[in-house]
Amino acid sequence: MDIIIGLILGIVEGLTEFAPVSSTGHLILVGHLLGFEGTVRASTFEIVIQLGSIMAVAFLFWRRILSILGIHIGADKSEQKSKEKLTLIHIIIGAIPFGIGGVIFYDYIKEVLFSAQTVVITLILGGVLMIAAEKFKPKHPAAETLDQVTYRQALIVGLFQCFALIPGFSRSGATLSGGLLSGMSHKTASEFTFIMALPIMFGASLKDLIESWEYLSAADIPLFITGFVTAFIVAAIAVKFFLRLINRIKLIPFAIYRFVLAALFWVFLLN
């Protein structure tokens, strides 16, 4: 049963972590249907599979990540430096608002806001934000590639990312909306969202994992390995597919899907 749960939730995490549909909302709903919820083991498992998704993005964007750190592979260094203008400063600027908000509100969010009722509300609000972003975004994007992203745009995306502190809002949904409104193309906003999420998600997940480690046992290893590997593989496929898809269908279909998911929450968890 552990292997089956690991496979199912790993697939759910991999499919939803970087799509603007709220991975937290999906994991809460599917975990409830599987009867896998409300324990330290279940919450720690969610952290482990989130790490699997994070490592998938690191794997896909490894060359770009190294270039941001000043390590250039596969081309002449001077040529690479002249072309690539996305730097570590962009990532830091984007991460600062979320980091400050997380430090200030972390305990309150975990103790008060982490509920099915909150997720229903934020699924709807996040969908409305995504529709608004599509409606009010600039007609002609100023940043068609990652290397055209400005510090101002990075800050705007970072500020919108603070919405994701509330469970169910979706980090990708919030940051994609901020990216579009700041003048990024859909693909650029998606790629910047993925790369910017790495240090934040990795740091937060590692912190939670360390705090929960003492409650785990060797019997949990098969579940955790299954979930981690499944989330890694599925997330890698999902991210590649999403980057091809987002320029075609935009955010509106994802917003509608969020409204449907909110209705499912109402039926299965609040009635």
Side-chain angles (χ1 to χ4, degrees):
M1 192 61 192
D2 275 357
I3 300 299
I4 295 173
I5 289 174
L7 283 170
I8 294 173
L9 292 180
I11 291 170
V12 171
E13 163 65 20
L15 287 174
T16 60
E17 180 61 56
F18 295 103
V21 294
S22 175
S23 61
T24 300
H26 283 79
L27 290 174
I28 289 174
L29 181 59
V30 177
H32 174 75
L33 296 175
L34 292 174
F36 188 70
E37 59 182 339
T39 64
V40 174
R41 186 171 185 252
S43 60
T44 305
F45 175 74
E46 290 183 10
I47 299 166
V48 170
I49 59 177
Q50 186 180 62
L51 280 172
S53 294
I54 297 167
M55 296 309 296
V57 169
F59 171 75
L60 291 174
F61 289 92
W62 69 270
R63 195 184 299 274
R64 169 62 80 167
I65 293 167
L66 288 179
S67 74
I68 290 172
L69 298 175
I71 303 171
H72 303 280
I73 297 177
D76 179 76
K77 290 184 180 180
S78 60
E79 182 183 348
Q80 284 287 96
K81 288 180 181 178
S82 66
K83 289 182 178 179
E84 296 179 352
K85 297 177 182 178
L86 185 73
T87 67
L88 189 59
I89 298 175
H90 290 85
I91 309 304
I92 292 172
I93 290 173
I96 285 175
F98 187 88
I100 294 173
V103 170
I104 296 173
F105 298 110
Y106 179 84
D107 291 335
Y108 176 79
I109 291 166
K110 285 286 186 181
E111 295 170 10
V112 179
L113 295 182
F114 210 92
S115 68
Q117 290 87 345
T118 299
V119 172
V120 169
I121 294 170
T122 52
L123 280 170
I124 295 171
L125 291 178
V128 171
L129 174 63
M130 289 158 61
I131 293 172
E134 287 288 3
K135 181 175 178 58
F136 297 110
K137 70 180 187 296
K139 188 171 292 186
H140 303 290
E144 293 280 3
T145 69
L146 276 176
D147 295 310
Q148 294 174 331
V149 173
T150 65
Y151 293 149
R152 173 182 168 276
Q153 288 173 320
L155 178 60
I156 291 173
V157 172
L159 291 171
F160 271 82
Q161 187 172 221
C162 291
F163 284 120
L165 288 166
I166 309 172
F169 217 105
S170 168
R171 177 180 287 101
S172 293
T175 53
L176 278 171
S177 298
L180 292 182
L181 291 170
S182 73
M184 296 183 193
S185 68
H186 288 80
K187 187 171 185 292
T188 299
S190 300
E191 291 177 338
F192 186 70
T193 289
F194 298 156
I195 293 175
M196 186 178 65
L198 284 174
I200 293 172
M201 291 175 62
F202 186 80
S205 298
L206 194 61
K207 175 182 178 296
D208 286 343
L209 189 60
I210 291 172
E211 291 176 351
S212 305
W213 196 257
E214 61 182 293
Y215 301 102
L216 307 178
S217 67
D220 298 318
I221 293 176
L223 169 69
F224 286 8
I225 290 178
T226 301
F228 180 92
V229 173
T230 304
F232 178 93
I233 294 172
V234 174
I237 296 170
V239 167
K240 296 287 283 186
F241 178 75
F242 180 77
L243 287 174
R244 293 195 195 101
L245 186 68
I246 189 63
N247 271 333
R248 296 181 185 177
I249 68 170
K250 317 303 183 188
L251 292 181
I252 303 296
F254 293 105
I256 294 171
Y257 177 82
R258 291 173 67 99
F259 300 150
V260 173
L261 186 62
L264 291 175
F265 256 75
W266 183 264
V267 171
F268 287 104
L269 293 177
L270 298 180
N271 278 331

